[in-house]
Each structure stands twice: as C-alpha cells, then as structure tokens.
Amino acid sequence: MTTLEIRAELSGIINKIHCELGTTVAAGDHIATLEAMKLEVPIESSTTGTLLSLHISPGEMVEEGQLLAILTL
Amino acid sequence: MKRLLIANRGEIACRIIRACKTMGIESIAIYSEADKNALHATLADYAICVGAAPVNESYLNIDAILKAAQLTHANAIHPGYGFLSENASFARAVQNAGLLWIGPHADTIEKMGDKAYARALALDAGIPVLPGSIRIETDSELDPFTLANNIGYPLLVKATGGGGGMGMKQVNQPEELTSAITSAQAIAAKSFGENAVFLEKFIPHARHIEVQIFGYGNGDAIHLYERDCSIQRRFQKVLEESPAPNISNATRQRMAAAAVKLAAHQRYAGPGTVEFIFDTQTDAFYFLEMNTRIQVEHPVTEMVTCVDLVRWQIEQALGTLTKTSQSQIATHGVAIECRLYAENPAKHYMPSTGKLERFSFPAPSQSLRVETGYRQGDVITPYYDPMIAKLICWAEDRQEAIHSMLKALRATCISGPKTNLPLLINILSEHTFMQGETHTAFLHNNPSLLIESSTTTTHMENQ
C-alpha cells in the first residue's frame, strides 16, 4: 500500500476539515483549511487518493511540518 | 475621564497607552491568554485578561471586554483600529454601559461600514464615485450581466460589508462574472455575516490616495492632507507616504475638499479617512470608502503636520479639544511609513510565525518613529495580524526621506520569523519608486523585488 503524508506548510490553526475518513480526493481538493494571521490557507491534496487517517481537529494549532493526514494512493 | 481601556493589542495599543501617559490618564490594557506577557499589557497601568487566544474569544468578545471595563472601573474605551473599531454594535454597547466611546457616532460607523450605502452617501454629497451597481443579494432577481455591461469590464465584485480586500474579486470578462459573485457572496456571508455584494468599475492604472480628515461633529471638518498608499499586496498597504508624489497642488486640494465635504455632510466626529482611487491616466479621482477610525498609517500625517491625532481624539471625547481651523494646518517635508510584516514575500506572502530571536531597530529620533508591540524574545503566533512593526521617517524632501528610511531599514535586525524587510529595502531602492511612480499594481508588476537580493542578504548578515 502506497501512502502519502500531508504536512503543514506553515504554522496555523485548523479552522475547518472538509473530508471524512475514507473519502476519495483528487489532486487540488481541499482536505482542510488552516488559518494564520487572518489568512485562510487551503490544505490541498497533491494527488488522487483515499483519506486513510486524519491527525487534526478543528481549532487545533499545528506547527510547520506537522503531520496532518495520510492518503492511500 | 480617569481611566481609559484600550480594546486592542500590538503597536496601536502601545501608541494609545503612550498618549494616556502624556495626558495623565490611567490606561487599562486587555489581553488574550496568548498575550499575557505582551508589551501592551506590560506598559499599561492595569492589564486584564479577556479570554483565550482566538480573536472571537478575546479581542472580539464584546461581553468580556465590557466586563473587563466594569471590573477595572474604566470610564472610556478606545478601540484602536481593526478588531471592534468599526463595529457599530460595540460602539452602542459601550455607550449603553455608561462609558465614553472614543470614536464617531455608531450610526456613522454603520452607514460607512456598508460599502454600497457609503457610495450612495458620497454621491449624495456630490463626491465622484466609480460607476457601480446597487447591492446584489443571493436571492436577487437582478441580472448581473446587465448590471456589469452598464459598468463595463474589467470590474470588481465587492462585499458590501467588506474590508481589507476580503470578499473582493476581479472580473475581466463576462464568463468570470457568475463564479466571482458566488464566491464573493460566500466569503461575505462567512466573514461579515451578510452576503450582499456590488459591482464596481476596476481602474487598472490606479493609485490609492486617501485624505485624513478630522470632524467636530457639528458639520465642521478639516483635512490634514493626503497619503499615498498605492504600494499594496493582496489589497493591503505595505508602504504609505505624504504628500502623494507627482500630483498637482490643484488636484490635492480638490481631493481634500471632497473629503471634507463628505465628513461635514455626515457631521463626522473625530479622525477619519476618505479613500480615493486615482486614475493615473486621466488624473480623475473617485470615492472608494471612508474609514471611521484612527488608521495604521496615521503617523505619516502626524509627522508632516505636527498634529497628535490620538491626543485630539481623546481630547474630543473629554470635551477639552481646542478647535483648529483649516488655515492652521500646514504640512512640511515628506514622511514615509513602512509596515514590517511577519511573512515570506517570495512564497505568496505566506504568514511566518515563531520566536523573534533578534528584533532591534535604530534609535528613534525627531525624524524616525518605530512603532511596535513586540520585543526581542517575543513569539509571533498565528492568531493575530502579521504586522509586527512600522517605521516612519521624516525628511525635508522625498529623496532624503527615502534615503533615511533605507538607512533605518538597513539598521533593523530581525531573525526568527521571515519578514518583508528585504522587500521594503528593494521597493525603496527601485528606480520607478524613487521617481514617485507609485500605483496599486507596483508589486505585482515588479516580482523581482519579492526575491531577497544577494546584496540585502549579505548586508543583513553583516549586521
């Protein structure tokens, strides 16, 4: 099973999660939205895959490089 | 008034605390749990926690702020800029709680906060506005294509409750119109609690010029000249200056007169800003919006006019303000402000957080102001605005002001989060900027400025 880790590009607060576990996502789909300094930054899937695990919850602060989700390809 | 509560944080809270100290007024700072050790909370005479780090739980939490005012026996509230400064419900709640509100009348805040309504008010006062539409609600039966055709492309879709570029979409051709309206309405509903948008003509070669006014609340108002705020990123200002370069005195006077007319028409009280879009190809100007608060860039005006706007604002609320006539307002020299943002210009201005390992500035003087709410060792969190400091330089002429600002920026040393310091140096060194050829697409058209040049990097390493 090939998996892909999705990590935070910047530190911020998770304000919304758009996908449930098991959802199939395409490249460019938004998995969650992160908010930092009044700016909303979408966390996008870089490829087609299925959401295997989610390591974040709404309102949580994440650090740059932190693991957010894992996709199976 | 004995005790003033400042419903804000960062540099503006520090600025207001400083004004209080010179006026013999006790200051009360509010802070969130993330700001327990923040500079503004340390500088004030009293400091009180109003909630958790997220703004909705602290700096936007009206109930908690009013409770804090009550607990600390505050007599007045100054909202600063941003946060609740243009929230009419807050202004009313403050007054209903028996406190002095340092700001214009709540009704004025409300009217000017609705951008479509503000356009109508400006038209009514005889101020030129851009061709535009009436409000378009989500359930509207208006045909947006007819409205758009009457205006012409390119145009902007704007949220009526918008600000800071939020909910704003540029539309270059009819095919893009429907999706732009839907998307702007969605952002507006989420950010401003109402989904109405309107269309407005987009001027591609524009400058953003605003006039600082001060109203006495009885239909009398004066202006304190203009500021050019054309250097922007994501519709947010990066650098401001006064006077606006390369504009005839006649045009400056006409813009100032229009701004005063609008302020007088509203019986406006206190400092306010009337923003205009200036068409560089025709020299025509159009009303954009009116900001009913003290602005980030107010020190630019303070330096060229020698007026303390925050002091005036507080004195007006106290009833001790001596009226100044227009003829007493003169500007002298040139002032430039640079906003330091914790962000990475080379990476789409992505916010950057972390500990300020180094954070030092040249010593302030008569001709250099350094306004910040942070100290070395403080942590920049993702919860609040990316602006971490502003530098304001004054000199006899523009060339000299640019030179002093460059000198000040080169003597500034920041490490930890990424900042736009190299970008600011690049802007001020750019040939067309030095010629005074500012316009709103300046950064967009000069992408090479966003990349840290080897000279600025080397220089900063040498600090």
Side-chain angles (χ1 to χ4, degrees), chain A residues 9-13 15-16 33-41 59-64, chain B residues 82 166 190 234 236 342-343 347-353 380-386 388:
Chain A
E9 270 190 74
L10 71 160
S11 303
I13 297 107
N15 71 0
K16 208 167 180 190
T33 307
L34 183 146
E35 195 177 320
M37 296 175 170
K38 305 199 283 191
L39 185 75
E40 289 194 351
V41 184
E60 185 184 336
M61 176 137 118
V62 295
E63 300 288 336
E64 184 180 336
Chain B
M166 277 170 87
K190 192 174 161 286
R234 236 187 272 124
Q236 281 191 334
E343 63 186 19
K347 217 176 142 193
H348 310 290
Y349 303 98
M350 202 69 99
S352 182
T353 52
I380 310 294
T381 73
Y383 293 106
Y384 312 113
D385 196 90
I388 53 171

Side-chain angles (χ1 to χ4, degrees), chain B residues 6-29:
Chain B
I6 299 130
N8 215 299
R9 66 182 299 283
E11 68 85 17
I12 192 64
C14 298
R15 162 77 180 94
I16 299 163
I17 292 165
R18 208 166 64 221
C20 287
K21 288 191 194 295
T22 62
M23 297 175 77
I25 295 167
E26 288 182 333
S27 53
I28 303 157

